[in-house]
Amino acid sequence: MRPGTAYDLAERQVPSRSLDAALLGASTDPYWLDDPARPAAQPALAGYLDADLAVVGGGYTGLWTALLAKERNPEQNVVLLEGGRIGWAASGRNGGFCAASLTHGGANGRKHLPEEAQTLERLGRENLQEIAGAIDRYGIDCSFEWTGSLGVATEEHQVQWLRGQAGPDAAFLDREAVRREVVSPLYLAGLWDRTGTAMLNPARLAWGLARACREAGVT
């Protein structure tokens, strides 16, 4: 049973009134979407629309698709349809990590797609650079920051694994170097990938893409 379920809480005999008190006044809105800068909802579709391309869904995939389609062919009539609000689902509820990896980590890609792994890593980094370029080009204020990512070793065998992953874009940090970044007695080494990850505000990215779509002529 997953921790935090009713069974688990019952086993620990946590009174329901304690839970109610702890959650009193808590917001159920996702952190990123609970923002006074959130754009007003667009009016519902009424009647019929003609389109050369109809895109369904106002998350990242739909917004990027509509925007790129309009960039490549400004004359075509592109319509984007969203049943809820722009970015209301996963695009506005994630942790804000914008990573280059297309395979949930290089090691995972090399394990499952060994022949394509190198190409996927290259495409992933190109994709992240293009995301950064588009954010800059369209003036999207989403707090984009090149932070990189830090992987850490907590066991001796992991130290050598991290050392083997070091390269031009990823610096190996020994015990003292990693603890200068994160003060913890648990970390024996680290690998700092300085170019493969950025941080951003995911909801504001979605809203900025929606604005860019409208300015490009997407309906």
Side-chain angles (χ1 to χ4, degrees):
M1 184 63 73
R2 181 170 55 84
T5 61
Y7 176 85
D8 182 66
L9 295 174
E11 285 291 296
R12 288 185 280 163
Q13 297 182 339
V14 178
S16 60
R17 62 180 179 275
S18 297
L19 296 176
D20 293 338
L23 296 174
L24 185 65
S27 173
T28 58
D29 292 333
Y31 172 78
W32 306 108
L33 297 176
D34 188 14
D35 185 337
R38 187 178 189 181
Q42 296 295 301
L45 174 63
Y48 294 89
L49 281 178
D50 290 326
D52 299 314
L53 173 66
V55 179
V56 180
Y60 294 145
T61 302
L63 292 165
W64 283 115
T65 298
L67 185 58
L68 290 173
K70 200 65 176 176
E71 284 182 348
R72 292 172 182 173
N73 186 356
E75 300 304 317
Q76 69 176 333
N77 183 15
V78 180
V79 174
L80 186 142
L81 303 169
E82 168 54 56
R85 296 282 295 276
I86 292 295
W88 71 270
S91 296
R93 298 167 184 256
N94 61 75
F97 303 98
C98 188
S101 177
L102 302 176
T103 57
H104 295 285
N108 190 56
R110 289 188 289 275
K111 176 181 178 181
H112 296 288
L113 299 163
E115 295 182 1
E116 297 91 353
Q118 189 172 0
T119 299
L120 288 171
E121 289 182 11
R122 175 180 59 79
L123 292 175
R125 290 187 179 273
E126 289 177 3
N127 183 59
L128 182 55
Q129 289 287 345
E130 290 179 7
I131 289 174
I135 288 172
D136 182 63
R137 186 167 67 254
Y138 287 105
I140 297 175
D141 180 14
C142 62
S143 302
F144 185 93
E145 181 181 357
W146 287 104
T147 58
S149 60
L150 180 65
V152 295
T154 57
E155 299 181 21
E156 287 294 340
H157 73 275
Q158 296 170 342
V159 175
Q160 294 306 315
W161 183 84
L162 291 181
R163 193 189 302 274
Q165 303 300 309
D169 298 314
F172 176 78
L173 307 181
D174 62 17
R175 183 192 299 259
E176 295 305 316
V178 74
R179 291 184 184 180
R180 283 196 293 270
E181 302 298 334
V182 182
V183 182
S184 171
L186 297 177
Y187 301 150
L188 308 179
L191 185 71
W192 192 348
D193 182 346
R194 301 177 187 274
T195 62
T197 303
M199 293 290 292
L200 52 77
N201 181 315
R204 291 195 175 213
L205 174 59
W207 303 334
L209 287 171
R211 173 185 57 78
C213 283
R214 286 192 295 272
E215 292 176 353
V218 175
T219 301

